[in-house]
Amino acid sequence: MKAGASTLSIALLATLVIGSPACRTEGLSFREDERVEIVEPDDESIVSLPFQLRWTVKDFAVVGADGSDTDDAGYFAVLLDQVPQPPGESLSYFARDDEQCSRSSGCPDEEYFADLGIYLTQQTSFDVTTLSDTRPVDRQSAPDEHEITLILLNGRGERIGESAFRVDIVVDRAQT
């Protein structure tokens, strides 16, 4: 009985040792980024269009797209119902599979991003004037839920770290 338990223990240990390299934690930050706080609207609140997204920022210099690659200066991207690009990727990540854009000079540009619900700003507020209606056509009484994400970009338009500041809202379509 001891030999069976010993064999099982060795097999489990071997599995852990072999599987360990797959669990990579390199390059990840395990502390909460508190440089940005979304102050309006409140998370999970019901809003009417248009509304203003407002946030505060600390320990981050808002300098815009100045070409720098520092983690403590740059600007913001507001993503309406969009998943942010991976850390370190530039905004052109969103057009990576768009052959038409890759053939067009100057693409992606602000208009391209706006069509995706991605807006760039140096301000600490953003006016949300429109959001797609997410309710099923046959269930207009369902909540119209949206996710608004704010990320930090360095001066080259690359996402800084894996931090994302998010607020979930429901749009009251009875008012719009």
Side-chain angles (χ1 to χ4, degrees):
M1 186 140 172
K2 280 187 175 181
S6 178
T7 304
L8 180 60
S9 295
I10 291 171
L12 286 173
L13 182 59
T15 301
L16 286 172
V17 170
I18 292 169
S20 292
C23 299
R24 192 177 131 226
T25 57
E26 180 182 324
L28 297 178
S29 174
F30 291 104
R31 64 179 175 83
E32 186 175 353
D33 189 338
E34 296 178 345
R35 292 181 287 181
V36 173
E37 179 184 1
I38 296 176
V39 295
E40 191 178 328
D42 290 331
D43 193 34
E44 299 184 11
S45 63
I46 299 172
V47 300
S48 297
L49 292 170
F51 66 91
Q52 190 172 68
L53 175 71
R54 291 187 320 108
W55 61 92
T56 59
V57 62
K58 63 181 179 183
D59 301 325
F60 183 79
V62 182
V63 297
D66 66 355
S68 66
D69 66 352
T70 180
D71 285 352
D72 60 359
Y75 56 113
F76 310 101
V78 176
L79 293 85
L80 306 178
D81 297 318
Q82 288 289 333
V83 175
Q85 75 269 36
E89 290 287 342
S90 72
L91 290 167
S92 62
Y93 175 87
F94 293 103
R96 70 192 180 284
D97 296 327
D98 188 335
E99 291 179 24
Q100 184 176 358
C101 181
S102 65
R103 289 191 298 261
S104 300
S105 178
C107 188
D109 57 12
E110 283 189 37
E111 183 178 347
Y112 183 90
F113 293 128
D115 287 345
L116 296 176
I118 300 168
Y119 300 90
L120 310 176
T121 185
Q122 293 182 52
Q123 306 302 313
T124 55
S125 65
F126 178 79
D127 293 327
V128 179
T129 58
T130 185
L131 287 167
S132 299
D133 193 333
T134 64
R135 300 173 296 176
V137 175
D138 62 340
R139 241 183 70 219
Q140 292 296 296
S141 62
D144 184 13
E145 300 174 322
H146 297 274
E147 179 179 289
I148 301 172
T149 307
L150 182 72
I151 60 172
L152 300 174
L153 302 173
N154 65 23
R156 297 192 313 201
E158 299 163 337
R159 183 175 176 196
I160 298 173
E162 66 271 0
S163 295
F165 310 92
R166 188 177 105 185
V167 64
D168 294 317
I169 52 113
V170 174
V171 173
D172 180 2
R173 293 286 176 178
Q175 303 294 322
T176 58

